Amino acid sequence: MDHFIYRNGVLHAEDVPVSDIAAAVGTPFYCYSAATLTRHYALFDEALAGTDHLVCYAMKSNSNLAVLKLMGDLGAGMDVVSVGEYLKAKAAGIPGERIVFSGVGKTRAEMRVALEGGIRQFNVESEPEMEVLNDVALSLGLVAPITIRVNPDVDAKTHAKIATGKKENKFGIPISRARDVYAHAATLKGLDVIGIDVHIGSQLTDLEPFELAYLKVAELTRQLRADGHDIRRLDLGGGLGIPYERSNTAPPLPIEYGDVIKRTVGDLGCEIEIEPGRLISGNAGIMVSEVIYVKSGEDRDFLILDSAMNDLIRPAMYESHHDIIPVTEPAAGAEPATYDIVGPICESGDTFAKERTMARLNSGDLVAFRSAGAYGAVMASEYNSRPLIPEVLVQGDQFAVIRARPTFEEMINRDIIPEWL
Ligand code: LLP
């Protein structure tokens, strides 16, 4: 459920007509609903009720400072994957003891910043990384709390570019080697080995892969404890999928996911962490765009929008589907039309949807891309010298620009022409 609904014939974000925001900030823009973000966080928190747990929001999905602040105020931790994310989480007021640091390629400099600034744990992904982290911690006179990310070799049954839990993927250490790697880690004085980490992929629409992975983690926990390790924390990753198409069957709910967690690892007495991103932010955001032209091709009609693949790259990159709806509610029984929906960028990949049947639209009409709150703004670029589009947060009947559209001057002045040229 989200808070983008038609009222009096106009799409609203909570209590604000989307057309009012468009008039105030111009198109295209991203718009997020605070109530939806709050609700989605609460669903995970409630799903793990009765366990000692921390929901660490995967901020890579939407890292606007206002969104982070909202999450932090709700009590969320953060899953960060770069020093930039770490510093943004800190800037939004999240204390270090609620920040977990994931990622396959952490540098010494990143480790140093996180160790000095305070960190809940590093999720270590390889033996070389383990050695380096040990080194950095010792050089600072500190001990780094770590989990080791294991790769359980489970098929997440999702898009190949976002599956991470098969042995051919670059993530984690093979679970078959885990006991050796933990034994090695235990000899390193700069590390405190506290738990196990796993993340098998994103946009999972089936609970079975989670169940298989978590059963393997449970078994490993028992083995490692028998080997003498004090395993007391399990980071179970993120990845629960969202409904991108209203017409399709919905993926499992957080409460069902929580049941899988309780069933598989609930009896181990471990503190549980999860790292959901998409399910919290995805359906809490839309991207609003204006139709520039309706163009008749030889065998099809094109809706040419003022947003493009640089603003929302998911359809071009993963062939992903986003529902695209008119901001003005179509009249009941209005005759539909079929369009290829495209942006103005000079390549055919700049296509949002093919043969989409929807209400008939005209130049100047507004449309909203649903499910654009996750991996939307954060993956945007200025390709074709198109300035990054603004982000707006709505709460009840108020809205605020939470990232302004840069001026052309700001964009141009970022580049430097050397004196000698
Ligand atoms: N934890 C780790 C270690 C991750 O790598 C990810 C996502 C998450 C948590 C959060 O997963 P979520 O709950 O959001 O599924 N750009 C792609 C998605 C990439 C996901 C990368 N890792 C997309 O637009 O679909």
Side-chain angles (χ1 to χ4, degrees), residues 392-407:
V392 172
L393 183 67
V394 173
Q395 184 165 48
D397 61 2
Q398 41 183 352
F399 71 90
V401 173
I402 55 172
R403 179 187 283 183
R405 193 190 308 277
T407 63

Side-chain angles (χ1 to χ4, degrees), residues 7-24:
R7 272 199 235 160
N8 308 321
V10 179
L11 186 68
H12 279 58
E14 302 193 21
D15 299 333
V16 183
V18 168
S19 46
D20 286 7
I21 305 174

Side-chain angles (χ1 to χ4, degrees), residues 58 60 79 162 199 202 238-239 275-278 314 318 375 379:
K60 63 167 75 73
D79 170 46
I162 52 175
H199 170 78
S202 195
E275 304 171 344
R278 189 191 311 265
R314 303 194 68 260
Y318 314 109
Y375 307 110
M379 293 180 77

Side-chain angles (χ1 to χ4, degrees), residues 144 161 190 199 236 238-239 256 269 294 323 334 341 358 391-392:
K161 285 187 185 164
H199 170 78
L236 300 174
E256 298 169 291
V294 183
D323 279 349
I341 305 176
M358 60 190 300
E391 294 173 88
V392 172

